[in-house]
Amino acid sequence: RSSDLRLLILIDQFEELFRYHKTAKADAAAFTALLLGAATHPDVYVVITMRSEFLGDCSLYPDLPEAINAGLFLTPSLTPEQMADAIQLPARLAPFNGEVDDELVRKLVKEAKNHNDQLPLLQHALMRLWDQAGENKYLTRKDLDKLGGLDACLNAHVEEAYNELDDEQKAIAEIMFRALTERSKEKRDTRRPVSWSKIAQLIG
């Protein structure tokens, strides 16, 4: 073993642990204890990512809040200028060599600031805009208006996909989506993994 070897443990979406706390409390606690123990080793680094609204749930586990406080980094929101760069600069890269109109950039930045999930919404809207543009590599505000704006873009895409299903498939899709998501008392939406056998049982 090399003396300069280091181990990085990266856990994305750590908030999923709190869902397991409801059904497998001992396993979730044991997992957390192992992580905290590993983090005390001088050659081990533990990084977790988590939605900020779940920080309070960390108090479910001894020593976890203290460990998080010792190395907490809250990802700051993008400034309007950074948001504009995220919209425009990737389009200009070769071999695409596209361009996003300044008026469209201002509209997207203005509409995105009202959302917690700014970047995923922007990513989806821009994907739809480029798909719609075809050979035209110049996006304008009119292109976004055709999609109903940033707020309506995702919902319209979902409805479009849903309406391609027949009646039986629509019924199955509804059951699946209800099974795969849950909303807490605090109105927080989280994923709820379900086995194929359970889904098959639900949809008959």
Side-chain angles (χ1 to χ4, degrees):
R1 177 183 181 277
S2 173
S3 60
D4 62 355
L5 187 66
R6 301 289 186 271
L7 175 65
L8 171 66
I9 301 172
L10 172 62
I11 302 172
D12 193 21
Q13 297 180 329
F14 188 78
E15 66 270 13
E16 292 288 326
L17 181 77
F18 306 129
R19 181 174 44 77
Y20 285 105
H21 185 84
K22 300 173 186 175
T23 57
K25 187 175 180 179
D27 289 342
F31 176 74
T32 305
L34 285 171
L35 273 183
L36 290 168
T40 63
H41 193 284
D43 294 330
V44 177
Y45 299 86
V46 178
V47 176
I48 65 173
T49 70
M50 175 173 41
R51 285 161 49 184
S52 58
E53 62 262 36
F54 286 91
L55 280 171
D57 294 290
C58 294
S59 62
L60 293 167
Y61 304 101
D63 301 323
L64 182 59
E66 291 79 9
I68 288 175
N69 283 336
L72 180 66
F73 178 77
L74 290 175
T75 306
S77 298
L78 295 178
T79 65
E81 293 77 16
Q82 291 170 328
M83 190 82 70
D85 284 346
I87 294 168
Q88 284 183 307
L89 297 184
R92 295 174 181 166
L93 297 176
F96 196 73
N97 301 318
E99 190 63 57
V100 182
D101 181 72
D102 288 339
E103 187 181 5
L104 173 57
V105 173
R106 286 192 295 272
K107 181 171 175 62
L108 285 170
V109 169
K110 182 179 178 181
E111 290 191 11
K113 73 178 181 180
N114 300 319
H115 295 280
N116 290 330
D117 299 320
Q118 295 175 339
L119 289 178
L121 276 175
L122 282 172
Q123 179 187 19
H124 178 265
L126 287 166
M127 176 196 72
R128 294 284 282 172
L129 286 167
W130 288 118
D131 287 347
Q132 177 180 275
E135 293 299 315
N136 179 17
K137 294 183 179 180
Y138 186 76
L139 300 184
T140 68
R141 179 173 176 166
K142 288 181 180 178
D143 297 318
L144 182 65
D145 291 340
K146 289 178 186 175
L147 295 176
L150 183 65
D151 289 329
C153 188
L154 182 60
N155 286 340
H157 195 186
V158 172
E159 287 295 329
E160 181 182 308
Y162 182 72
N163 287 328
E164 291 176 358
L165 305 176
D166 61 33
D167 290 342
E168 182 182 12
Q169 291 170 331
K170 286 179 179 178
I172 291 172
E174 182 176 348
I175 292 169
M176 288 182 68
F177 275 103
R178 288 181 186 274
L180 293 170
T181 58
E182 64 181 350
R183 173 164 282 194
S184 68
K185 289 179 284 187
E186 296 83 14
K187 306 290 186 189
R188 296 185 306 200
D189 296 320
T190 55
R191 296 182 301 170
R192 179 172 54 192
V194 181
S195 67
W196 279 111
S197 59
K198 181 65 175 176
I199 291 289
Q201 181 184 349
L202 288 171
I203 64 177

